[in-house]
Amino acid sequence: MPKLIAIIGAGASGLVAAIVSARAGAKVKIFEKNSKIGKKILATGNGRCNVTNKSVKISNYHGLNPKFVNIAIDRFNTQVCRKFFSEIGVELTEGQNGRFYPASLQSSSVVKLLTYECERQNVEILLNQEVQSITKEGEKFALHVEGKKEYADSVLIATGGLAMPTLGASESGYEFAKSFGHTIIQTFASLVQLETKENFKSISGVKLQADVEIVQNREKIVFASGDVLFTSYGISGSAILDISRRVNKILQNSDEVIVNMDLMRQYSKEQLKNILLKRLKNSNAKSVALWLDGFVNSKLALFLSKDLRVKNADDLNTKDIVNLVYKLKNFKITAIGSRGFKSAEVTAGGVNTDEINPKTFESKLQKNLYFSGEVLDIDADCGGYNLHWAWASGYSAGTALV
Ligand SMILES: Cc1cc2nc3c(=O)[nH]c(=O)nc-3n(C[C@H](O)[C@H](O)[C@H](O)COP(=O)(O)OP(=O)(O)OC[C@H]3O[C@@H](n4cnc5c(N)ncnc54)[C@H](O)[C@@H]3O)c2cc1C
């Protein structure tokens, strides 16, 4: 008799685990509460699905014990990942910063071909089937689903995290884990937009390239470089998402975090000062805002001009220019919160990895119970690392499940 495996969640991790264990001869059923397979995968990478990255390292991962990822990402490295997807029909192509996408640039092709491979391996995918609880009945697990009981020899919890409830995110994976004695490391949103004390409504929509950092006790504790977008609630953009984990972590014990931004990273302070002093020679009675316009975004020019001592550029002196340079190179914002799980891409925290075997992903507390993907206390940087973790942990769990 083949082993009966129940997988909870037809997301990135659950689908890969299902394929791997079905290929090895197990009888696999996936229970999915959504009416669609891989709803979150469809939303990834702005609909293009950033599947993985050229360089996947432990340093891209976070949690209480990031080294937990080591065996899984070594076994399922970028090459293995590309081969896995190529075998099911998804060719990966390299984009910016080592990011890999399906050559179709459509996340739907990833979902369609994962689904096709599941069907080819006789994996049964049951949609609109929300698992309410899991209990033990003798050697078997009983899954309580929509008023019925479904039995399995082994169970994989691949229910994902709390990010974007509209895509299926729920607490249930943590509840299942707790019911078997597992501890949950406090969850919080990561890769998420930040709310600020300052009101940026007047520069809402201004997008630029900036260096972003948090300095504490004179030490730079986090740094990111890339897009910054001012919004009506605060600040967004890839550089902000990159630092959001650290900001939210600090906000657990503090009311605010000062984020320092270099809005003119292409120039040194000296170069910027010289450019502005040179522009001052042609100020020709312009208002400060108009004088700055043409050099910086016009909304930003108006915003910056409000802080200056004078209204007319002809009246600016060298000290004003030095102050302006300082402001552009050290633009400070006060983060007071984030947009939370409703807007976040990923959940930090989750099932304590000390209680999970890093080779097999089996619970150390309950035999034949497995966890993979975002439900675990592992989250990653932006760049394909979160999906890579979902595939890689699903691959290891799927291999061990049989
Ligand atoms: C907008 C957005 C964009 C992203 N872009 C990227 C990207 O480009 N690259 C990248 O690496 N990462 C990206 N991520 C993160 C990545 O999508 C996740 O880390 C990854 O999908 C996690 O995989 P998972 O299988 O653990 O969980 P999920 O993919 O979330 O799958 C979990 C599944 O379990 C189901 N489920 C939950 N509870 C139950 C239950 N009780 N019963 C039955 N079913 C249940 C859910 O409906 C869901 O389908 C993005 C995330 C978001 C929100």
Side-chain angles (χ1 to χ4, degrees), residues 340-361:
F341 287 119
K342 67 177 187 306
S343 309
E345 285 194 10
V346 73
T347 308
V351 178
N352 189 342
T353 53
D354 283 350
E355 299 158 359
I356 309 292
N357 181 329
K359 285 195 190 113
T360 60
F361 287 78

Side-chain angles (χ1 to χ4, degrees), residues 30 124 127 142 144 157 209 288 319 334 337 357:
I30 309 184
E124 206 179 329
L127 297 174
H144 302 256
I157 297 174
Q209 296 281 306
V288 174
K319 199 171 165 209
T334 317
N357 181 329

